[in-house]
Amino acid sequence: GAVVSQHPSWVICKSGTSVKIECRSLDFQATTMFWYRQFPKQSLMLMATSNEGSKATYEQGVEKDKFLINHASLTLSTLTVTSAHPEDSSFYICSAKKWAVPYEQYFGPGTRLTVT
Amino acid sequence: SQKIEQNSEALNIQEGKTATLTCNYTNYSPAYLQWYRQDPGRGPVFLLLIRENEKEKRKERLKVTFDTTLKQSLFHITASQPADSATYLCALDMEYGNKLVFGAGTILRVKS
């Protein structure tokens, strides 16, 4: 199997606070993990790519100081939304790749973030 | 500009019929094209990958075609079932699995 979990599944936070989202590969070691954002009825947008032990690579237009990514181990990556604002409210989805299957990404169930 | 377009309207079909979903793109040259299924409030699930030198790929009731001249992929579900109702996303694979660019998806509703 290739199961990816995310925690929490939903979170509500107040404007100006920070929130951390965890992404774990449960039954495999992930060579690379990805973070996406999806607004209602829109496509998934890649935010950043991370490899264990190295700095994340952010897509153009994504503020790296606002969306902090830490890839501490081969099974865990975290996304911290700092000083969140209502416009950061979105569905955040992570995915992971495993070495043996180079082209497929395994997606987590997503985290719904609402900033009030 | 770069664009990926999928059927913007939802596709409603009768159980047992074949559903055909379209993915068109401009100003991209993907090495691969992938199709995913996404249920409401869930992350996408991988279905099929087709390479640029492949014309067609099949997996059980699913068939994908890829025409790099037309810059189009067609996704077919034969003998459709209500359980096939979901949003289907096409994704251009720009870096051998390391950079996916997604379309907005097509909602498929299969009625019994």
Side-chain angles (χ1 to χ4, degrees):
Chain A
V3 181
V4 175
S5 71
Q6 281 184 241
H7 179 80
S9 54
W10 60 270
V11 58
I12 301 172
C13 71
K14 293 193 173 175
S15 188
T17 61
S18 296
V19 62
K20 181 187 283 188
I21 302 169
E22 287 187 352
C23 175
R24 292 180 186 274
S25 55
L26 298 184
D27 53 359
F28 67 98
Q29 292 186 326
T31 53
T32 308
M33 286 183 160
F34 306 86
W35 286 96
Y36 294 84
R37 182 165 52 180
Q38 186 177 33
F39 292 106
K41 298 189 179 178
Q42 293 187 27
S43 59
L44 279 79
M45 299 295 294
L46 179 65
M47 298 174 67
T49 301
S50 75
N51 294 289
E52 182 257 343
S54 59
K55 287 185 180 178
T57 302
Y58 290 81
E59 294 299 301
Q60 193 172 11
V62 177
E63 300 173 60
K64 61 181 181 182
D65 294 331
K66 181 170 184 62
F67 298 100
L68 301 178
I69 292 172
N70 184 287
H71 196 152
S73 74
L74 284 172
T75 59
L76 173 64
S77 176
T78 59
L79 168 70
T80 301
V81 183
T82 62
S83 186
H85 288 103
E87 57 265 31
D88 299 322
S89 299
S90 187
F91 192 49
Y92 292 86
I93 310 175
C94 72
S95 69
K97 285 179 57 178
K98 55 181 178 179
W99 180 83
V101 186
Y103 307 117
E104 186 175 334
Q105 293 187 19
Y106 302 95
F107 284 82
T111 297
R112 174 75 57 193
L113 169 64
T114 302
V115 185
T116 61
Chain B
S1 63
Q2 295 176 317
K3 222 168 18 172
I4 305 172
E5 289 183 335
Q6 295 189 245
N7 312 63
S8 56
E9 300 291 326
L11 185 62
N12 296 296
I13 65 165
Q14 200 64 33
E15 182 177 9
K17 301 291 186 186
T18 296
T20 298
L21 285 66
T22 306
C23 177
N24 294 297
Y25 59 93
T26 55
N27 295 325
Y28 284 108
S29 296
Y32 306 104
L33 191 143
Q34 301 189 23
W35 282 88
Y36 286 79
R37 169 184 172 140
Q38 186 176 24
D39 291 288
R42 308 293 294 174
V45 174
F46 173 81
L47 295 174
L48 278 171
L49 175 150
I50 187 165
R51 293 173 170 77
E52 60 178 340
N53 60 353
E54 294 177 317
K55 290 274 192 268
E56 182 179 297
K57 198 83 167 277
R58 289 176 188 258
K59 180 182 174 183
E60 297 172 358
R61 294 185 295 112
L62 309 180
K63 184 178 87 170
V64 174
T65 63
F66 191 14
D67 189 324
T68 54
T69 302
L70 288 178
K71 294 188 182 292
Q72 180 183 77
S73 176
L74 298 179
F75 178 79
H76 307 270
I77 305 175
T78 58
S80 59
Q81 304 164 3
D84 295 326
S85 299
T87 296
Y88 290 87
L89 308 171
C90 77
L92 306 186
D93 187 338
M94 305 305 295
E95 251 181 55
Y96 304 103
N98 288 317
K99 193 175 181 87
L100 298 182
V101 182
F102 282 88
T106 297
I107 297 171
L108 173 67
R109 298 192 190 103
V110 182
K111 301 193 177 183
S112 56

